[in-house]
mmCIF file of all heavy atoms in Angstrom:
data_model
loop_
_atom_site.group_PDB
_atom_site.id
_atom_site.type_symbol
_atom_site.label_atom_id
_atom_site.label_comp_id
_atom_site.label_asym_id
_atom_site.label_seq_id
_atom_site.Cartn_x
_atom_site.Cartn_y
_atom_site.Cartn_z
ATOM 1 N N LYS F 3 -17.092 -29.928 27.689
ATOM 2 C CA LYS F 3 -15.881 -30.015 28.514
ATOM 3 C C LYS F 3 -15.027 -28.784 28.290
ATOM 4 O O LYS F 3 -14.701 -28.435 27.145
ATOM 5 C CB LYS F 3 -15.101 -31.283 28.155
ATOM 6 C CG LYS F 3 -15.816 -32.520 28.607
ATOM 7 C CD LYS F 3 -14.883 -33.693 28.791
ATOM 8 C CE LYS F 3 -15.613 -34.801 29.507
ATOM 9 N NZ LYS F 3 -14.879 -36.042 29.534
ATOM 10 N N PHE F 4 -14.650 -28.150 29.405
ATOM 11 C CA PHE F 4 -13.856 -26.925 29.340
ATOM 12 C C PHE F 4 -12.410 -27.249 28.944
ATOM 13 O O PHE F 4 -11.849 -28.246 29.369
ATOM 14 C CB PHE F 4 -13.881 -26.264 30.728
ATOM 15 C CG PHE F 4 -12.803 -25.250 30.925
ATOM 16 C CD1 PHE F 4 -12.935 -23.973 30.400
ATOM 17 C CD2 PHE F 4 -11.635 -25.579 31.614
ATOM 18 C CE1 PHE F 4 -11.925 -23.034 30.564
ATOM 19 C CE2 PHE F 4 -10.626 -24.650 31.782
ATOM 20 C CZ PHE F 4 -10.773 -23.372 31.252
ATOM 21 N N PHE F 5 -11.785 -26.398 28.083
ATOM 22 C CA PHE F 5 -10.358 -26.631 27.831
ATOM 23 C C PHE F 5 -9.464 -25.396 27.805
ATOM 24 O O PHE F 5 -8.253 -25.522 27.929
ATOM 25 C CB PHE F 5 -10.147 -27.460 26.537
ATOM 26 C CG PHE F 5 -10.584 -26.783 25.257
ATOM 27 C CD1 PHE F 5 -9.699 -26.022 24.521
ATOM 28 C CD2 PHE F 5 -11.870 -26.941 24.784
ATOM 29 C CE1 PHE F 5 -10.097 -25.412 23.335
ATOM 30 C CE2 PHE F 5 -12.281 -26.340 23.615
ATOM 31 C CZ PHE F 5 -11.400 -25.574 22.878
ATOM 32 N N LEU F 6 -10.014 -24.188 27.651
ATOM 33 C CA LEU F 6 -9.115 -23.025 27.639
ATOM 34 C C LEU F 6 -9.840 -21.765 28.120
ATOM 35 O O LEU F 6 -10.961 -21.492 27.709
ATOM 36 C CB LEU F 6 -8.556 -22.807 26.216
ATOM 37 C CG LEU F 6 -7.605 -21.624 26.007
ATOM 38 C CD1 LEU F 6 -6.340 -21.758 26.846
ATOM 39 C CD2 LEU F 6 -7.210 -21.487 24.526
ATOM 40 N N ASP F 7 -9.134 -21.011 28.982
ATOM 41 C CA ASP F 7 -9.677 -19.745 29.485
ATOM 42 C C ASP F 7 -8.880 -18.604 28.860
ATOM 43 O O ASP F 7 -7.685 -18.474 29.110
ATOM 44 C CB ASP F 7 -9.541 -19.731 31.017
ATOM 45 C CG ASP F 7 -10.208 -18.517 31.642
ATOM 46 O OD1 ASP F 7 -10.607 -17.601 30.884
ATOM 47 O OD2 ASP F 7 -10.329 -18.488 32.886
ATOM 48 N N LEU F 8 -9.536 -17.805 28.018
ATOM 49 C CA LEU F 8 -8.839 -16.689 27.365
ATOM 50 C C LEU F 8 -9.054 -15.378 28.130
ATOM 51 O O LEU F 8 -8.842 -14.285 27.588
ATOM 52 C CB LEU F 8 -9.283 -16.559 25.903
ATOM 53 C CG LEU F 8 -8.803 -17.693 24.977
ATOM 54 C CD1 LEU F 8 -9.472 -17.635 23.621
ATOM 55 C CD2 LEU F 8 -7.291 -17.682 24.795
ATOM 56 N N GLY F 9 -9.485 -15.486 29.371
ATOM 57 C CA GLY F 9 -9.602 -14.319 30.245
ATOM 58 C C GLY F 9 -10.803 -13.458 29.934
ATOM 59 O O GLY F 9 -11.721 -13.870 29.225
ATOM 60 N N LYS F 10 -10.763 -12.248 30.475
ATOM 61 C CA LYS F 10 -11.887 -11.321 30.247
ATOM 62 C C LYS F 10 -11.650 -10.580 28.951
ATOM 63 O O LYS F 10 -10.580 -10.009 28.746
ATOM 64 C CB LYS F 10 -11.982 -10.346 31.418
ATOM 65 C CG LYS F 10 -12.551 -10.995 32.662
ATOM 66 C CD LYS F 10 -13.132 -9.943 33.587
ATOM 67 C CE LYS F 10 -13.725 -10.544 34.831
ATOM 68 N NZ LYS F 10 -14.896 -11.366 34.607
ATOM 69 N N GLN F 11 -12.658 -10.608 28.069
ATOM 70 C CA GLN F 11 -12.501 -10.020 26.734
ATOM 71 C C GLN F 11 -13.657 -9.077 26.416
ATOM 72 O O GLN F 11 -14.822 -9.398 26.663
ATOM 73 C CB GLN F 11 -12.489 -11.132 25.670
ATOM 74 C CG GLN F 11 -11.324 -12.099 25.792
ATOM 75 C CD GLN F 11 -10.045 -11.584 25.115
ATOM 76 O OE1 GLN F 11 -10.057 -10.552 24.442
ATOM 77 N NE2 GLN F 11 -8.951 -12.303 25.289
ATOM 78 N N TYR F 28 -16.234 -9.794 29.057
ATOM 79 C CA TYR F 28 -16.927 -11.052 29.369
ATOM 80 C C TYR F 28 -15.888 -12.174 29.449
ATOM 81 O O TYR F 28 -14.880 -12.132 28.736
ATOM 82 C CB TYR F 28 -17.933 -11.404 28.262
ATOM 83 C CG TYR F 28 -18.883 -10.276 27.917
ATOM 84 C CD1 TYR F 28 -18.542 -9.314 26.960
ATOM 85 C CD2 TYR F 28 -20.125 -10.171 28.554
ATOM 86 C CE1 TYR F 28 -19.413 -8.287 26.643
ATOM 87 C CE2 TYR F 28 -21.005 -9.147 28.237
ATOM 88 C CZ TYR F 28 -20.641 -8.201 27.279
ATOM 89 O OH TYR F 28 -21.494 -7.184 26.956
ATOM 90 N N ASN F 29 -16.173 -13.169 30.287
ATOM 91 C CA ASN F 29 -15.238 -14.304 30.389
ATOM 92 C C ASN F 29 -15.257 -15.090 29.089
ATOM 93 O O ASN F 29 -16.336 -15.503 28.648
ATOM 94 C CB ASN F 29 -15.657 -15.246 31.524
ATOM 95 C CG ASN F 29 -15.398 -14.606 32.863
ATOM 96 O OD1 ASN F 29 -14.398 -13.908 33.048
ATOM 97 N ND2 ASN F 29 -16.306 -14.820 33.801
ATOM 98 N N LEU F 30 -14.098 -15.273 28.492
ATOM 99 C CA LEU F 30 -14.047 -16.036 27.235
ATOM 100 C C LEU F 30 -13.446 -17.414 27.519
ATOM 101 O O LEU F 30 -12.236 -17.572 27.657
ATOM 102 C CB LEU F 30 -13.227 -15.282 26.177
ATOM 103 C CG LEU F 30 -13.343 -15.831 24.761
ATOM 104 C CD1 LEU F 30 -14.738 -15.609 24.186
ATOM 105 C CD2 LEU F 30 -12.329 -15.189 23.830
ATOM 106 N N LYS F 31 -14.328 -18.394 27.645
ATOM 107 C CA LYS F 31 -13.892 -19.761 27.962
ATOM 108 C C LYS F 31 -14.303 -20.676 26.832
ATOM 109 O O LYS F 31 -15.406 -20.541 26.296
ATOM 110 C CB LYS F 31 -14.527 -20.228 29.268
ATOM 111 C CG LYS F 31 -13.915 -19.523 30.470
ATOM 112 C CD LYS F 31 -14.430 -20.112 31.757
ATOM 113 C CE LYS F 31 -13.757 -19.390 32.925
ATOM 114 N NZ LYS F 31 -14.439 -19.600 34.157
ATOM 115 N N LEU F 32 -13.414 -21.613 26.494
ATOM 116 C CA LEU F 32 -13.688 -22.503 25.372
ATOM 117 C C LEU F 32 -14.068 -23.904 25.845
ATOM 118 O O LEU F 32 -13.468 -24.437 26.782
ATOM 119 C CB LEU F 32 -12.471 -22.595 24.450
ATOM 120 C CG LEU F 32 -11.817 -21.273 24.022
ATOM 121 C CD1 LEU F 32 -10.766 -21.537 22.954
ATOM 122 C CD2 LEU F 32 -12.851 -20.299 23.490
ATOM 123 N N PHE F 33 -15.050 -24.466 25.135
ATOM 124 C CA PHE F 33 -15.567 -25.791 25.487
ATOM 125 C C PHE F 33 -15.646 -26.706 24.263
ATOM 126 O O PHE F 33 -15.812 -26.220 23.134
ATOM 127 C CB PHE F 33 -16.978 -25.655 26.084
ATOM 128 C CG PHE F 33 -16.972 -25.123 27.483
ATOM 129 C CD1 PHE F 33 -16.888 -23.749 27.717
ATOM 130 C CD2 PHE F 33 -17.019 -25.983 28.567
ATOM 131 C CE1 PHE F 33 -16.867 -23.250 29.017
ATOM 132 C CE2 PHE F 33 -17.005 -25.491 29.868
ATOM 133 C CZ PHE F 33 -16.924 -24.120 30.091
ATOM 134 N N PHE F 34 -15.509 -28.001 24.518
ATOM 135 C CA PHE F 34 -15.680 -29.011 23.479
ATOM 136 C C PHE F 34 -16.857 -29.885 23.898
ATOM 137 O O PHE F 34 -16.895 -30.373 25.026
ATOM 138 C CB PHE F 34 -14.403 -29.843 23.349
ATOM 139 C CG PHE F 34 -14.556 -31.071 22.499
ATOM 140 C CD1 PHE F 34 -14.777 -30.967 21.131
ATOM 141 C CD2 PHE F 34 -14.479 -32.345 23.070
ATOM 142 C CE1 PHE F 34 -14.919 -32.104 20.337
ATOM 143 C CE2 PHE F 34 -14.616 -33.483 22.286
ATOM 144 C CZ PHE F 34 -14.840 -33.358 20.916
ATOM 145 N N SER F 42 -17.010 -24.417 21.088
ATOM 146 C CA SER F 42 -17.674 -23.114 21.204
ATOM 147 C C SER F 42 -17.219 -22.364 22.436
ATOM 148 O O SER F 42 -16.570 -22.932 23.320
ATOM 149 C CB SER F 42 -19.189 -23.314 21.253
ATOM 150 O OG SER F 42 -19.523 -23.996 22.446
ATOM 151 N N ILE F 43 -17.584 -21.080 22.474
ATOM 152 C CA ILE F 43 -17.321 -20.295 23.678
ATOM 153 C C ILE F 43 -18.537 -20.458 24.587
ATOM 154 O O ILE F 43 -19.622 -20.811 24.134
ATOM 155 C CB ILE F 43 -17.057 -18.806 23.339
ATOM 156 C CG1 ILE F 43 -18.284 -18.127 22.721
ATOM 157 C CG2 ILE F 43 -15.876 -18.674 22.392
ATOM 158 C CD1 ILE F 43 -18.179 -16.619 22.615
ATOM 159 N N SER F 44 -18.358 -20.165 25.887
ATOM 160 C CA SER F 44 -19.460 -20.462 26.809
ATOM 161 C C SER F 44 -20.463 -19.329 26.920
ATOM 162 O O SER F 44 -21.661 -19.538 26.939
ATOM 163 C CB SER F 44 -18.902 -20.794 28.185
ATOM 164 O OG SER F 44 -18.071 -19.747 28.612
ATOM 165 N N LYS F 45 -19.962 -18.100 26.987
ATOM 166 C CA LYS F 45 -20.864 -16.966 27.256
ATOM 167 C C LYS F 45 -21.462 -16.467 25.948
ATOM 168 O O LYS F 45 -20.739 -16.169 24.997
ATOM 169 C CB LYS F 45 -20.051 -15.858 27.936
ATOM 170 C CG LYS F 45 -20.807 -14.624 28.197
ATOM 171 C CD LYS F 45 -21.021 -14.378 29.678
ATOM 172 C CE LYS F 45 -21.968 -13.217 29.857
ATOM 173 N NZ LYS F 45 -23.014 -13.515 30.779
ATOM 174 N N TYR F 194 -5.478 -19.265 18.422
ATOM 175 C CA TYR F 194 -6.538 -19.144 19.435
ATOM 176 C C TYR F 194 -7.339 -17.858 19.251
ATOM 177 O O TYR F 194 -8.426 -17.695 19.799
ATOM 178 C CB TYR F 194 -5.923 -19.203 20.845
ATOM 179 C CG TYR F 194 -4.947 -18.082 21.147
ATOM 180 C CD1 TYR F 194 -5.366 -16.922 21.773
ATOM 181 C CD2 TYR F 194 -3.605 -18.192 20.805
ATOM 182 C CE1 TYR F 194 -4.479 -15.893 22.045
ATOM 183 C CE2 TYR F 194 -2.707 -17.168 21.061
ATOM 184 C CZ TYR F 194 -3.141 -16.024 21.685
ATOM 185 O OH TYR F 194 -2.257 -15.002 21.941
ATOM 186 N N PHE F 197 -11.082 -17.207 18.326
ATOM 187 C CA PHE F 197 -12.174 -17.116 19.308
ATOM 188 C C PHE F 197 -12.273 -15.705 19.869
ATOM 189 O O PHE F 197 -11.288 -15.157 20.352
ATOM 190 C CB PHE F 197 -11.921 -18.097 20.467
ATOM 191 C CG PHE F 197 -11.916 -19.533 20.031
ATOM 192 C CD1 PHE F 197 -10.724 -20.192 19.741
ATOM 193 C CD2 PHE F 197 -13.109 -20.218 19.891
ATOM 194 C CE1 PHE F 197 -10.716 -21.508 19.323
ATOM 195 C CE2 PHE F 197 -13.115 -21.543 19.467
ATOM 196 C CZ PHE F 197 -11.913 -22.188 19.182
ATOM 197 N N ASN F 199 -15.724 -12.900 21.454
ATOM 198 C CA ASN F 199 -17.128 -12.963 21.894
ATOM 199 C C ASN F 199 -18.125 -13.117 20.750
ATOM 200 O O ASN F 199 -19.138 -13.798 20.882
ATOM 201 C CB ASN F 199 -17.478 -11.718 22.706
ATOM 202 C CG ASN F 199 -16.875 -11.782 24.089
ATOM 203 O OD1 ASN F 199 -17.050 -12.763 24.800
ATOM 204 N ND2 ASN F 199 -16.128 -10.760 24.465
ATOM 205 N N TYR F 270 -7.756 -30.971 22.558
ATOM 206 C CA TYR F 270 -7.999 -29.583 22.950
ATOM 207 C C TYR F 270 -7.204 -29.216 24.203
ATOM 208 O O TYR F 270 -6.814 -28.074 24.386
ATOM 209 C CB TYR F 270 -9.512 -29.349 23.135
ATOM 210 C CG TYR F 270 -10.235 -29.670 21.836
ATOM 211 C CD1 TYR F 270 -10.816 -30.922 21.617
ATOM 212 C CD2 TYR F 270 -10.248 -28.749 20.802
ATOM 213 C CE1 TYR F 270 -11.412 -31.231 20.411
ATOM 214 C CE2 TYR F 270 -10.843 -29.047 19.595
ATOM 215 C CZ TYR F 270 -11.426 -30.299 19.406
ATOM 216 O OH TYR F 270 -11.997 -30.595 18.201
ATOM 217 N N ARG F 271 -6.974 -30.203 25.049
ATOM 218 C CA ARG F 271 -6.163 -29.956 26.260
ATOM 219 C C ARG F 271 -4.725 -29.655 25.835
ATOM 220 O O ARG F 271 -4.070 -28.791 26.401
ATOM 221 C CB ARG F 271 -6.222 -31.171 27.189
ATOM 222 C CG ARG F 271 -7.643 -31.449 27.678
ATOM 223 C CD ARG F 271 -7.725 -31.639 29.190
ATOM 224 N NE ARG F 271 -9.070 -31.381 29.670
ATOM 225 C CZ ARG F 271 -9.992 -32.304 29.912
ATOM 226 N NH1 ARG F 271 -9.686 -33.581 29.747
ATOM 227 N NH2 ARG F 271 -11.189 -31.970 30.342
ATOM 228 N N PHE F 273 -3.868 -28.373 22.888
ATOM 229 C CA PHE F 273 -3.960 -27.046 22.266
ATOM 230 C C PHE F 273 -3.870 -25.971 23.355
ATOM 231 O O PHE F 273 -3.137 -24.986 23.231
ATOM 232 C CB PHE F 273 -5.295 -26.963 21.510
ATOM 233 C CG PHE F 273 -5.648 -25.611 20.950
ATOM 234 C CD1 PHE F 273 -4.962 -25.086 19.863
ATOM 235 C CD2 PHE F 273 -6.700 -24.861 21.494
ATOM 236 C CE1 PHE F 273 -5.311 -23.840 19.326
ATOM 237 C CE2 PHE F 273 -7.050 -23.629 20.964
ATOM 238 C CZ PHE F 273 -6.351 -23.108 19.879
ATOM 239 N N SER F 274 -4.584 -26.191 24.445
ATOM 240 C CA SER F 274 -4.597 -25.246 25.559
ATOM 241 C C SER F 274 -3.178 -25.023 26.104
ATOM 242 O O SER F 274 -2.770 -23.888 26.368
ATOM 243 C CB SER F 274 -5.527 -25.797 26.633
ATOM 244 O OG SER F 274 -5.454 -25.025 27.778
ATOM 245 N N LYS F 275 -2.420 -26.107 26.221
ATOM 246 C CA LYS F 275 -1.024 -25.998 26.699
ATOM 247 C C LYS F 275 -0.206 -25.164 25.724
ATOM 248 O O LYS F 275 0.585 -24.308 26.125
ATOM 249 C CB LYS F 275 -0.399 -27.408 26.807
ATOM 250 C CG LYS F 275 -0.578 -28.023 28.157
ATOM 251 C CD LYS F 275 0.241 -29.291 28.272
ATOM 252 C CE LYS F 275 -0.245 -30.086 29.462
ATOM 253 N NZ LYS F 275 0.026 -31.497 29.350
ATOM 254 N N ILE F 277 -1.205 -22.851 23.783
ATOM 255 C CA ILE F 277 -1.617 -21.444 23.800
ATOM 256 C C ILE F 277 -1.003 -20.729 25.000
ATOM 257 O O ILE F 277 -0.546 -19.585 24.892
ATOM 258 C CB ILE F 277 -3.166 -21.322 23.794
ATOM 259 C CG1 ILE F 277 -3.746 -22.018 22.549
ATOM 260 C CG2 ILE F 277 -3.609 -19.870 23.868
ATOM 261 C CD1 ILE F 277 -3.014 -21.782 21.249
ATOM 262 N N LYS F 278 -0.962 -21.426 26.133
ATOM 263 C CA LYS F 278 -0.353 -20.812 27.328
ATOM 264 C C LYS F 278 1.119 -20.518 27.055
ATOM 265 O O LYS F 278 1.653 -19.489 27.455
ATOM 266 C CB LYS F 278 -0.527 -21.734 28.538
ATOM 267 C CG LYS F 278 -1.962 -21.699 29.054
ATOM 268 C CD LYS F 278 -2.204 -22.726 30.126
ATOM 269 C CE LYS F 278 -3.690 -22.862 30.389
ATOM 270 N NZ LYS F 278 -4.058 -24.170 30.924
ATOM 271 N N LYS F 279 1.772 -21.423 26.318
ATOM 272 C CA LYS F 279 3.183 -21.219 25.967
ATOM 273 C C LYS F 279 3.318 -20.087 24.944
ATOM 274 O O LYS F 279 4.243 -19.266 25.015
ATOM 275 C CB LYS F 279 3.768 -22.532 25.409
ATOM 276 C CG LYS F 279 5.237 -22.419 25.116
ATOM 277 C CD LYS F 279 5.889 -23.749 24.868
ATOM 278 C CE LYS F 279 7.367 -23.703 24.554
ATOM 279 N NZ LYS F 279 7.931 -22.503 24.073
ATOM 280 N N LYS F 281 1.570 -17.447 24.702
ATOM 281 C CA LYS F 281 1.465 -16.173 25.437
ATOM 282 C C LYS F 281 2.821 -15.819 26.064
ATOM 283 O O LYS F 281 3.321 -14.702 25.901
ATOM 284 C CB LYS F 281 0.389 -16.313 26.525
ATOM 285 C CG LYS F 281 0.277 -15.131 27.447
ATOM 286 C CD LYS F 281 -0.871 -15.329 28.451
ATOM 287 C CE LYS F 281 -0.925 -14.189 29.452
ATOM 288 N NZ LYS F 281 -2.092 -14.277 30.324
ATOM 289 N N THR F 309 -8.387 -10.446 20.873
ATOM 290 C CA THR F 309 -8.227 -11.605 21.764
ATOM 291 C C THR F 309 -6.775 -11.730 22.221
ATOM 292 O O THR F 309 -6.494 -11.916 23.405
ATOM 293 C CB THR F 309 -8.659 -12.903 21.036
ATOM 294 O OG1 THR F 309 -10.059 -12.824 20.792
ATOM 295 C CG2 THR F 309 -8.369 -14.139 21.860
ATOM 296 N N VAL F 310 -5.838 -11.585 21.291
ATOM 297 C CA VAL F 310 -4.410 -11.741 21.620
ATOM 298 C C VAL F 310 -3.986 -10.669 22.632
ATOM 299 O O VAL F 310 -3.378 -10.973 23.666
ATOM 300 C CB VAL F 310 -3.535 -11.630 20.339
ATOM 301 C CG1 VAL F 310 -2.054 -11.742 20.695
ATOM 302 C CG2 VAL F 310 -3.926 -12.694 19.327
ATOM 303 N N ASN F 312 -5.747 -8.743 24.652
ATOM 304 C CA ASN F 312 -6.393 -8.821 25.962
ATOM 305 C C ASN F 312 -5.963 -10.061 26.738
ATOM 306 O O ASN F 312 -5.811 -10.010 27.949
ATOM 307 C CB ASN F 312 -7.917 -8.746 25.823
ATOM 308 C CG ASN F 312 -8.380 -7.321 25.555
ATOM 309 O OD1 ASN F 312 -8.478 -6.509 26.477
ATOM 310 N ND2 ASN F 312 -8.606 -6.988 24.299
ATOM 311 N N TYR F 313 -5.729 -11.168 26.036
ATOM 312 C CA TYR F 313 -5.291 -12.403 26.710
ATOM 313 C C TYR F 313 -3.855 -12.248 27.231
ATOM 314 O O TYR F 313 -3.542 -12.657 28.346
ATOM 315 C CB TYR F 313 -5.384 -13.569 25.721
ATOM 316 C CG TYR F 313 -4.825 -14.883 26.235
ATOM 317 C CD1 TYR F 313 -5.324 -15.483 27.393
ATOM 318 C CD2 TYR F 313 -3.808 -15.550 25.537
ATOM 319 C CE1 TYR F 313 -4.812 -16.689 27.847
ATOM 320 C CE2 TYR F 313 -3.301 -16.758 25.972
ATOM 321 C CZ TYR F 313 -3.803 -17.324 27.131
ATOM 322 O OH TYR F 313 -3.308 -18.516 27.578
ATOM 323 N N CYS F 314 -3.004 -11.621 26.425
ATOM 324 C CA CYS F 314 -1.586 -11.497 26.803
ATOM 325 C C CYS F 314 -1.299 -10.201 27.569
ATOM 326 O O CYS F 314 -0.172 -9.948 27.947
ATOM 327 C CB CYS F 314 -0.699 -11.567 25.558
ATOM 328 S SG CYS F 314 -0.878 -13.080 24.622
ATOM 329 N N ASN F 315 -2.335 -9.402 27.756
ATOM 330 C CA ASN F 315 -2.203 -8.092 28.410
ATOM 331 C C ASN F 315 -1.130 -7.218 27.742
ATOM 332 O O ASN F 315 -0.200 -6.751 28.377
ATOM 333 C CB ASN F 315 -1.941 -8.273 29.911
ATOM 334 C CG ASN F 315 -2.268 -7.004 30.668
ATOM 335 O OD1 ASN F 315 -2.907 -6.090 30.118
ATOM 336 N ND2 ASN F 315 -1.810 -6.907 31.891
#
Side-chain angles (χ1 to χ4, degrees):
K3 290 203 169 170
F4 163 79
F5 65 91
L6 179 62
D7 186 350
L8 290 170
K10 286 202 179 294
Q11 297 276 353
Y28 308 88
N29 289 322
L30 192 68
K31 288 187 179 163
L32 311 188
F33 285 83
F34 169 68
S42 66
I43 64 169
S44 55
K45 177 112 188 131
Y194 62 94
F197 297 96
N199 285 308
Y270 301 96
R271 298 229 158 97
F273 173 71
S274 173
K275 269 189 196 155
I277 302 317
K278 285 173 192 154
K279 184 167 179 339
K281 174 177 176 174
T309 294
V310 178
N312 283 280
Y313 174 59
C314 301
N315 199 13

